[in-house]
Amino acid sequence: IDTSSSSGKRKADTRRRSSSFLVWILLAALLGIMGHYARKWKTFGSASRENVSGDRHFTKEELNKYSSGNEDKLYLSVLGQVFDVTKGRRFYGGEAGYSGFAGKDASRAFISGKFNEEGLVEEVEGLDNEDVMSLLEWRDFYHKEYTYAGKLVDGLYYDADGRPTKALGA
């Protein structure tokens, strides 16, 4: 009786099962990662009215209603994405240090540090790559710390239908 061939078959079967299991684990991990980034891209490229995607659309006039003087809600926008920052009222409400950000898209001020009329603007043209990356980190911070509320649709970053504009590389 030759046991070496049956032993070899068992080892091959075990390796195949291990390989299959590993492939399934990697596939599950890849799908999880893809799902995570698909949700992130939806919020980056998606955007006060509800639309098909469920994003709320804000005009500049509507967003301004949620400025630092609003007693109920405070919203701000970074790169055209609107966030509810009400829980950070001590930073964004009344005369707080970042109150100028509330009720508008003041993307440039996140980089320039100019919290006056000149700096509290949405325009970021002319920023270098490092500054753009820093601004994207700020946007990610707001996604993590605050509630995403929708898109600013009459600004530089989203058209009236909530589609990204050329300013976002569309």
Side-chain angles (χ1 to χ4, degrees), residues 5 43 49-50 60 74 126 149:
S5 67
T43 59
R49 295 159 293 281
E50 292 291 328
K60 288 181 181 179
L74 296 171

Side-chain angles (χ1 to χ4, degrees), residues 15-158:
R15 269 187 251 136
R16 247 183 272 134
R17 273 186 260 139
S18 295
S19 295
S20 294
F21 181 71
L22 183 60
V23 166
W24 281 109
I25 294 294
L26 290 174
L27 182 59
L30 179 61
L31 288 172
I33 291 168
M34 288 172 58
H36 170 76
Y37 283 103
R39 285 187 299 278
K40 281 189 119 171
W41 279 109
K42 178 184 181 263
T43 59
F44 180 75
S46 332
S48 269
R49 295 159 293 281
E50 292 291 328
N51 65 22
V52 175
S53 68
D55 285 339
R56 184 172 174 194
H57 289 178
F58 293 84
T59 64
K60 288 181 181 179
E61 183 180 314
E62 288 168 321
L63 182 59
N64 190 50
K65 292 176 185 176
Y66 301 98
S67 66
S68 62
N70 187 305
E71 296 294 320
D72 296 323
K73 291 277 191 183
L74 296 171
Y75 288 178
L76 62 73
S77 177
V78 180
L79 295 172
Q81 293 187 12
V82 178
F83 299 91
D84 181 341
V85 295
T86 305
K87 74 178 187 179
R89 183 172 298 283
R90 68 178 187 262
F91 304 113
Y92 304 104
E95 298 296 318
Y98 300 107
S99 62
F101 287 82
K104 64 177 71 154
D105 188 322
S107 293
R108 188 170 202 89
F110 285 98
I111 302 305
S112 72
K114 293 181 181 176
F115 298 172
N116 56 23
E117 269 189 60
E118 176 188 326
L120 292 166
V121 296
E122 63 185 322
E123 175 61 50
V124 295
E125 190 172 327
L127 295 179
D128 63 29
N129 288 340
E130 187 177 323
D131 288 339
V132 170
M133 292 306 294
S134 292
L135 189 53
L136 291 173
E137 288 173 7
W138 274 110
R139 188 208 57 214
D140 292 345
F141 164 80
Y142 282 94
H143 273 289
K144 289 176 191 158
E145 297 297 321
Y146 295 98
T147 303
Y148 172 77
K151 296 177 190 166
L152 181 60
V153 294
D154 66 344
L156 288 176
Y157 304 105
Y158 294 95

